[in-house]
Amino acid sequence: MPSLIAPIDEIRQQALQSTINTPAPPSQELDKEAFLRLLVTQLRYQDPINPLDSREFAAQLAQFSTVEQLIGINETLAAQSDAYAALAQGIHNSVAAGLVGKVIEAEGDQLTWGGEAPVPFRIELADAARQVSIQIRNEAGEVVRTIFLGPKAAGEHAVEWDGRNDAGEALPAGTYTIEVLATDADGDPVTARSFVRGRVTRVTFGPEGILLWIGDRSVPMQSVRGVESE
């Protein structure tokens, strides 16, 4: 006589379907409550003439215990993950707050000219370049100064701007943008990056992440690559 016990996979699908049809939020995962309902359903519809074997029943109970333990482990790991994330965020916030008053170097293209001291910055060339120049633009986007550096090897190079235009006249204090133009021996462009410096005046925390402020310019925390205590 064929057994009246429904295959466990079919019962599992029935239990999941029943869960989906209830007002509770649907779930495609078999939690411990659903597993227990599955086991009870299996016992309810077993063939009384050919009941479930005791060893098979014991195996089902053992499986239920294992599932419950795994769920507990998953919940513990999830709680620990949240705790670690909160701890890491706290550490990052603390480090960022400690940068107030420090001079940082970060990848960027904006310079703050204070009107007196020259403004230092760095450029990085991916390959050797026959000709390198730097254009400095004001807030209106106008080129006010072009600095010709000549040929440069691949790597980093320190540059300084004295705050003057091409005519040698001092420019007003403010924010200026730099653009590195580099070409190789064949006249093809060479990839270049610029790194600016400045003193951190404040730190903000928001949806956009941690921002370090140099005057009215913001620098993402992840862009910082160096810190000075001067």
Side-chain angles (χ1 to χ4, degrees), residues 71-164:
I71 292 175
I73 292 174
N74 288 338
E75 292 174 349
T76 301
L77 291 177
Q80 290 179 346
S81 178
D82 292 341
Y84 290 149
L87 176 61
Q89 186 62 46
I91 293 174
H92 291 162
N93 292 351
S94 177
V95 170
L99 293 178
V100 174
K102 303 290 181 64
V103 174
I104 63 170
E105 182 176 86
E107 183 172 358
D109 62 356
Q110 290 188 317
L111 300 177
T112 299
W113 162 237
E116 297 180 0
V119 183
F121 58 96
R122 291 179 180 272
I123 64 170
E124 181 183 77
L125 301 176
D127 299 295
R130 170 172 289 185
Q131 183 58 254
V132 180
S133 62
I134 298 172
Q135 289 186 342
I136 300 177
R137 301 175 183 271
N138 59 18
E139 294 183 355
E142 302 168 334
V143 177
V144 295
R145 177 73 178 274
T146 301
I147 302 175
F148 295 97
L149 301 179
K152 290 292 181 181
E156 292 188 10
H157 304 278
V159 187
E160 191 174 78
W161 176 47
D162 58 7
R164 297 180 180 276

Side-chain angles (χ1 to χ4, degrees), residues 12-198:
R12 178 180 184 278
Q13 292 300 324
Q14 293 174 5
L16 289 175
Q17 187 62 38
S18 175
T19 303
I20 294 175
N21 292 333
T22 60
S27 173
Q28 292 298 320
E29 297 182 358
L30 187 64
D31 59 13
K32 62 181 181 180
E33 301 297 335
F35 188 90
L36 186 58
R37 288 198 301 271
L38 182 152
L39 188 59
V40 171
T41 302
Q42 187 177 15
L43 292 174
R44 180 182 300 171
Y45 291 103
Q46 68 176 327
D47 185 355
I49 300 177
N50 184 24
L52 183 66
D53 183 83
S54 60
R55 288 174 296 181
E56 184 178 352
F57 182 68
Q60 296 279 7
L61 290 178
Q63 186 178 2
F64 169 72
S65 177
T66 300
V67 170
E68 189 173 25
Q69 292 175 7
L70 290 175
I71 292 175
I73 292 174
N74 288 338
E75 292 174 349
T76 301
L77 291 177
Q80 290 179 346
S81 178
D82 292 341
Y84 290 149
L87 176 61
Q89 186 62 46
I91 293 174
H92 291 162
N93 292 351
S94 177
V95 170
L99 293 178
V100 174
K102 303 290 181 64
V103 174
I104 63 170
E105 182 176 86
E107 183 172 358
D109 62 356
Q110 290 188 317
L111 300 177
T112 299
W113 162 237
E116 297 180 0
V119 183
F121 58 96
R122 291 179 180 272
I123 64 170
E124 181 183 77
L125 301 176
D127 299 295
R130 170 172 289 185
Q131 183 58 254
V132 180
S133 62
I134 298 172
Q135 289 186 342
I136 300 177
R137 301 175 183 271
N138 59 18
E139 294 183 355
E142 302 168 334
V143 177
V144 295
R145 177 73 178 274
T146 301
I147 302 175
F148 295 97
L149 301 179
K152 290 292 181 181
E156 292 188 10
H157 304 278
V159 187
E160 191 174 78
W161 176 47
D162 58 7
R164 297 180 180 276
N165 60 18
D166 286 328
E169 303 168 336
L171 294 170
T175 300
Y176 293 81
T177 303
I178 58 176
E179 181 181 6
V180 182
L181 304 174
T183 55
D184 60 18
D186 297 324
D188 296 325
V190 174
T191 301
R193 299 192 298 169
S194 57
F195 302 90
V196 298
R197 300 170 71 251

